[in-house]
Amino acid sequence: MPPGGSRRRDGNVHRFPHCSNEGVERRLARIRAENPGAGILVVTETVFSMDSDVPDIAGLQAICTRYGATLMVDIAHDLGAVGRGGRGYLEIQGALMTVDIIMGSFSKTFGSNGGFVASNRVELKLALRYGCGPLTFTNAISPMQAAAVLSCLAIVDSPEGERRRKRLMGNVMHMRSSLQSVGFQVLGEPSAIVPVVLGSNGLSRKMTSYMLNHGAIVNLVEYPAVAKNGCRWRVQLMHNHTREQIDAFVMTAVAARDAVSSGVDRLLSLVTA
């Protein structure tokens, strides 16, 4: 979904149904019929951070190529943390080196501010080098930050990085299955982000307050970042979380739900008495 400013700018920004390659193809077909020479940029992500869902990137690239559109994919949330080689869902889907443009932030796996854009198109590299703000002015990342990112990349590409990703995915699968086994709705595909659907604002805030007061750190996401009555915890896991910590988190989540539910039941009984 494009940001609000771009939606209001003109009629050249088009939304498409979430993770729908068919929706993209319908819009590309319409745009090409109306303007055969238009430049088209299709933007998506590998892992969407609110639902941890993943589009079919290889199929989307094929559609974009067919209609003469350029595909740009944000890989910030899975690069380094998912896939045997740490190349995320592009690696898992067999789409490495095929996407027109990839971009990402260093603030996730790499623990630094800044980010990157990569492409096989030489002309795009030159355009970014000479026209991009962080390179034109003096706000590029520092040599120290660049060194930290390179050190993290070395870990990603090492046997240690592979071991960490394996432990991380084991933790992710354990957290997801444990939450589902006690009745929580968990969204998306396995990644370091585990979205846990709660519901309304009031219920979610009370459950979150309980969690924080009982030692569990959670990030509550509310409307408009997600749909109304679709509040959720955006749980984030690391490779060095223990199974005991994950089990304690799940038990606390159950206790939070039970405590809030019993409070609602008591309130309803007073109202109807």
Side-chain angles (χ1 to χ4, degrees):
M1 179 186 297
S6 64
R7 287 204 302 271
R8 291 173 175 82
R9 181 176 176 86
D10 53 36
N12 292 327
V13 176
H14 303 263
R15 297 173 62 180
F16 56 87
H18 184 58
C19 288
S20 172
N21 286 10
E22 294 79 7
V24 174
E25 185 161 18
R26 288 195 301 269
R27 280 151 181 77
L28 290 181
R30 186 181 67 211
I31 293 168
R32 276 286 169 253
E34 295 172 354
N35 191 340
I40 304 173
L41 178 66
V42 177
V43 182
T44 190
E45 300 185 47
T46 41
V47 175
F48 284 89
S49 64
M50 291 303 161
D51 291 352
S52 191
D53 47 355
V54 179
D56 173 11
I57 298 295
L60 187 56
Q61 180 63 70
I63 293 170
C64 289
T65 301
R66 187 157 62 247
Y67 286 90
T70 299
L71 177 63
M72 182 168 74
V73 180
D74 184 341
I75 62 173
H77 291 101
D78 56 338
L79 178 64
V82 175
R84 182 168 183 176
R87 278 13 180 206
Y89 274 95
L90 290 182
E91 176 185 356
I92 292 172
Q93 293 187 9
L96 285 174
M97 305 301 294
T98 63
V99 174
D100 295 322
I101 304 171
I102 61 172
M103 60 169 291
S105 167
F106 292 141
S107 63
K108 315 303 178 187
T109 300
F110 299 92
S112 173
N113 51 352
F116 67 92
V117 180
S119 172
N120 291 321
R121 300 282 294 273
V122 175
E123 61 271 27
L124 177 61
K125 293 180 180 181
L126 291 174
L128 287 171
R129 181 173 298 169
Y130 295 113
C132 181
L135 294 177
T136 304
F137 302 102
T138 57
N139 53 351
I141 64 174
S142 69
M144 183 181 296
Q145 292 163 328
V149 170
L150 289 173
S151 295
C152 289
L153 183 59
I155 294 174
V156 167
D157 285 341
S158 70
E160 178 188 355
E162 186 174 352
R163 290 192 298 271
R164 289 188 180 202
R165 285 188 294 275
K166 186 175 181 179
R167 289 198 299 269
L168 171 62
M169 192 52 63
N171 285 343
V172 168
M173 299 306 294
H174 183 66
M175 172 72 86
R176 291 175 66 93
S177 63
S178 297
L179 286 167
Q180 290 170 330
S181 70
V182 293
F184 283 98
Q185 181 185 3
V186 179
L187 300 177
E189 299 293 331
S191 77
I193 302 165
V194 181
V196 185
V197 177
L198 302 177
S200 67
N201 283 26
L203 173 72
S204 302
R205 290 177 183 179
K206 290 176 182 177
M207 289 182 64
T208 300
S209 178
Y210 184 100
M211 295 289 281
L212 295 174
N213 288 332
H214 289 79
I217 299 176
V218 289
N219 295 317
L220 176 61
V221 184
E222 302 179 347
Y223 175 84
V226 294
K228 290 182 178 179
N229 296 319
C231 298
R232 66 203 57 177
W233 289 327
R234 187 177 179 274
V235 179
Q236 299 167 79
L237 284 166
M238 297 175 62
H239 78 283
N240 54 357
H241 280 126
T242 66
R243 292 296 171 92
E244 291 76 17
Q245 289 171 330
I246 294 172
D247 292 341
F249 179 93
V250 174
M251 288 190 294
T252 307
V254 171
R257 183 180 59 193
D258 292 345
V260 172
S261 298
S262 62
V264 171
D265 291 341
R266 287 198 300 271
L267 178 61
L268 289 175
S269 64
L270 290 174
V271 171
T272 57

